[in-house]
Amino acid sequence: MRALVIDDSKAIRAILGKMLREMDCEVHEAEDGREALEVLQKEAPLDIALVDWNMPIMNGFDFVKAVRANRNYDELRLMMVTTENEMSKVLEALNAGADEYVMKPFTKEIIVDKLRLIGMELV
């Protein structure tokens, strides 16, 4: 599995990256949505993007909308991993095209469960 972790927090990128590498994932990182779109262009196809909502330059919600507007990324699974915990935000992200939603703080078990829910094959 090839994953993209998008978060402006280097610590969160490191934590999620470590979890994914432990599952034998190839991990790419970006610190905002615009950088993530550049990574997608260079590294496609990727299987999953774990996306924070609140980031500078391009936030995660705008990233999700941009990805879903591009048919080249139809197979890319999108999972929001964010502190946004209002039900309206969850619904907004899912309606925009996110496949799953995880609220921070999270555990490896939660990430694994959500990845399985959206059909990711894990080692």
Side-chain angles (χ1 to χ4, degrees), residues 17-48:
K18 182 178 186 297
M19 288 178 183
L20 291 164
R21 285 182 190 94
E22 288 172 353
M23 294 180 256
D24 263 356
C25 291
E26 175 186 319
V27 178
H28 300 271
E29 296 182 7
E31 56 185 59
D32 62 63
R34 188 173 66 192
E35 182 182 340
L37 289 174
E38 293 169 7
V39 172
L40 272 181
Q41 285 182 327
K42 284 192 281 190
E43 300 295 338
L46 296 173
D47 301 301
I48 179 89

Side-chain angles (χ1 to χ4, degrees), residues 4 6-7 16 48-55 58-65 68 77-84 89-104 106 110-111 114-115 118:
L4 174 57
I6 311 162
D7 200 301
L16 285 169
I48 179 89
L50 290 80
V51 188
D52 184 26
W53 191 301
N54 298 302
M55 297 179 289
M58 176 187 261
N59 68 38
F61 182 71
D62 290 340
F63 171 81
V64 168
K65 291 191 301 184
R68 289 302 178 232
R77 297 287 157 254
L78 300 173
M79 183 163 67
M80 300 297 291
V81 182
T82 181
T83 57
E84 291 292 341
K89 293 286 193 183
V90 175
L91 293 173
E92 199 175 349
L94 295 174
N95 288 334
D99 296 292
E100 197 49 79
Y101 200 100
V102 175
M103 293 176 205
K104 294 175 186 174
F106 54 84
I110 290 170
I111 298 294
K114 295 288 188 167
L115 288 170
I118 57 176

